[in-house]
Amino acid sequence: ETGVTQTPRHLVMGMTNKKSLKCEQHLGHNAMYWYKQSAKKPLELMFVYNFKEQTENNSVPSRFSPECPNSSHLFLHLHTLQPEDSALYLCASSQEIMGPGVPYEQYFGPGTRLTVT
Amino acid sequence: AQSVSQHNHHVILSEAASLELGCNYSYGGTVNLFWYVQYPGQHLQLLLKYFSGDPLVKGIKGFEAEFIKSKFSFNLRKPSVQWSDTAEYFCAVAQGGKLIFGQGTELSVKP
């Protein structure tokens, strides 16, 4: 399955580092998402982009900064993270943003396992 | 705000046993419902979804789910599990353009 790819797959960073996560979708979709998956917790939606415009910021701390240069690429820039930010970060895409009765399925990438030391 | 509850955190079954995983959501109105599965080391993939019509939805790999509006439930079922069904299962509700996930149920199937 190569619909949604994420790099790197694993990342270890110190609290003072700056790094970026990359997501690319090859499905021709117009909506892209960042989620955080922590152990024993529900997936948390972080950001939503629709046609390159951010439509949702789910109260995410400013140390996470998304960027969507085009409908196929999504980045998550990280700086001065905390150990509690260690998690699996998932990217997803869908044809467009779902609405009531609009059956747009989200396709997920494999995730980036982030460890903050 | 909408929330999703999956009551079973870890389920252990023997092969050929029947499976039912519970999922309840908190808020009524028009909802779109999903079950996703995450096999070990793999990405989340869609098992099935409900948008409208027949409340009994059939998905891939022999899974089905029933939407019961009066109970705010969307339980996942499979009559006979296989070792290869070992995975984590997530129920999700779409509302306002967002997917809201439950915390997941880990299923372990013993050969």
Side-chain angles (χ1 to χ4, degrees):
Chain A
E1 175 62 55
T2 58
V4 182
T5 57
Q6 291 187 242
T7 54
R9 295 294 304 277
H10 300 272
L11 178 63
V12 179
M13 60 186 289
M15 293 168 58
T16 58
N17 291 158
K18 289 184 180 181
K19 296 286 185 184
S20 296
L21 310 184
K22 179 182 176 183
C23 173
E24 184 173 0
Q25 57 93 2
H26 311 271
L27 301 168
H29 290 168
N30 296 306
M32 296 188 77
Y33 311 78
W34 279 116
Y35 288 88
K36 177 182 179 182
Q37 186 178 20
S38 304
K40 307 302 181 189
K41 291 177 66 176
L43 270 76
E44 301 170 53
L45 179 66
M46 300 174 72
F47 301 103
V48 181
Y49 278 81
N50 194 34
F51 291 94
K52 302 186 298 178
E53 298 297 320
Q54 187 181 124
T55 59
E56 182 85 26
N57 176 339
N58 202 24
S59 302
V60 181
S62 59
R63 56 186 184 270
F64 295 91
S65 174
E67 178 190 0
C68 188
N70 54 61
S71 292
S72 299
H73 293 86
L74 185 64
F75 295 89
L76 188 63
H77 303 300
L78 316 171
H79 63 98
T80 59
L81 293 192
Q82 304 298 312
E84 60 264 29
D85 297 321
S86 298
L88 182 68
Y89 289 85
L90 295 173
C91 174
S93 71
S94 62
Q95 184 61 50
E96 291 183 28
I97 289 179
M98 283 182 289
V102 180
Y104 292 133
E105 172 188 345
Q106 289 188 19
Y107 292 79
F108 286 81
T112 295
R113 175 69 63 186
L114 173 67
T115 303
V116 181
T117 60
Chain B
Q2 180 69 268
S3 65
V4 179
S5 298
Q6 292 182 243
H7 315 295
N8 314 104
H9 299 303
H10 192 187
V11 172
I12 302 173
L13 295 173
S14 298
E15 276 194 314
S18 64
L19 170 72
E20 181 161 3
L21 301 182
C23 173
N24 287 91
Y25 59 95
S26 62
Y27 181 73
T30 301
V31 289
N32 302 320
L33 300 156
F34 303 79
W35 276 97
Y36 278 84
V37 61
Q38 190 171 31
Y39 296 104
Q42 296 190 28
H43 58 274
L44 273 167
Q45 52 189 288
L46 184 69
L47 265 183
L48 47 79
K49 62 187 177 188
Y50 171 80
F51 277 74
S52 63
D54 189 343
L56 185 61
V57 180
K58 295 196 182 298
I60 61 171
K61 304 186 181 186
F63 285 91
E64 65 179 30
E66 186 175 12
F67 169 52
I68 303 179
K69 190 173 183 178
S70 61
K71 295 185 178 180
F72 297 85
S73 70
F74 190 56
N75 291 355
L76 181 71
R77 300 194 293 246
K78 185 170 183 177
S80 175
V81 295
Q82 301 172 310
W83 177 79
S84 58
D85 294 322
T86 294
E88 191 156 15
Y89 293 81
F90 296 90
C91 180
V93 175
Q95 195 161 47
K98 300 185 291 187
L99 269 183
I100 299 160
F101 283 85
Q103 64 188 91
T105 297
E106 185 179 347
L107 173 64
S108 300
V109 180
K110 298 182 294 184

